[in-house]
Amino acid sequence: MYPKRQQKSDRERFLSAFGKQVGTTPEIYLRRKLSAGMQPGELKRLYDLLAVEIAKKAHCTPIRFDEVVGGKTPVRTAELHRQRAAESRVPVCPRCGAQMVLRTGQSGARKGQKFWGCSNYPACRYTKNLDEERQYEKL
């Protein structure tokens, strides 16, 4: 017949519940908050509260802030993410003013090609070829 399903470990249950609640992994969640300018001390407090709340619902042990950061000081991590965010240039949509998102074409003329699309997609359908952006950077 069918083999028995292995039970998920405590860590896997927490990561699964965190992904369902927040929509991403704890590492990416913290990176986004730090690059947005949140203070590391405040982020540590809020993340730990969120982790405990999610762990209670999932009946597992939470992964704490210190375990996610992995020994690196939060201030140094925040500086690295701010630098990374400052180095990358994301174009702004000329029609609506929202930030553009790097996308990959799924069908049609752009299938498999990367391009910039407006983040307000259903309301604003503006797109820009990735090659155009690179041409401007070379000038």
Side-chain angles (χ1 to χ4, degrees):
M1 281 276 176
Y2 296 108
K4 286 188 174 182
R5 288 179 65 186
Q6 296 289 327
Q7 279 196 341
K8 288 183 177 180
S9 70
D10 212 29
R11 182 179 179 83
E12 289 173 335
R13 279 198 317 241
F14 176 78
L15 292 174
S16 174
F18 192 91
K20 287 177 185 175
Q21 177 99 15
V22 179
T24 187
T25 62
E27 293 86 5
I28 294 173
Y29 172 79
L30 291 175
R31 186 179 333 138
R32 287 178 182 167
K33 294 293 184 182
L34 286 170
S35 64
M38 185 176 269
Q39 296 299 319
E42 181 68 13
L43 178 60
K44 178 180 190 252
R45 187 182 70 78
L46 290 176
Y47 172 80
D48 284 341
L49 287 173
L50 177 66
V52 168
E53 179 185 326
I54 290 172
K56 281 182 183 177
K57 289 180 183 176
H59 305 291
C60 59
T61 307
I63 298 175
R64 299 293 182 156
F65 181 84
D66 299 327
E67 296 172 39
V68 174
V69 173
K72 299 174 189 167
T73 60
V75 175
R76 176 149 168 69
T77 307
E79 289 172 10
L80 288 173
H81 292 306
R82 284 191 197 112
Q83 286 175 356
R84 230 182 259 157
E87 289 172 3
S88 63
R89 288 187 278 172
V90 177
V92 176
C93 178
R95 287 191 188 159
C96 67
Q99 285 192 342
M100 300 192 75
V101 180
L102 190 61
R103 301 184 187 272
T104 304
Q106 299 298 315
S107 62
R110 287 190 172 148
K111 185 171 184 171
Q113 297 176 355
K114 299 233 183 234
F115 65 95
W116 290 105
C118 184
S119 59
N120 290 334
Y121 167 65
C124 177
R125 294 176 177 263
Y126 183 80
T127 60
K128 184 191 312 188
N129 289 334
L130 185 63
D131 298 334
E132 292 175 14
E133 187 67 27
R134 288 184 180 158
Q135 287 174 356
Y136 292 126
E137 288 178 5
K138 290 178 184 176
L139 297 176

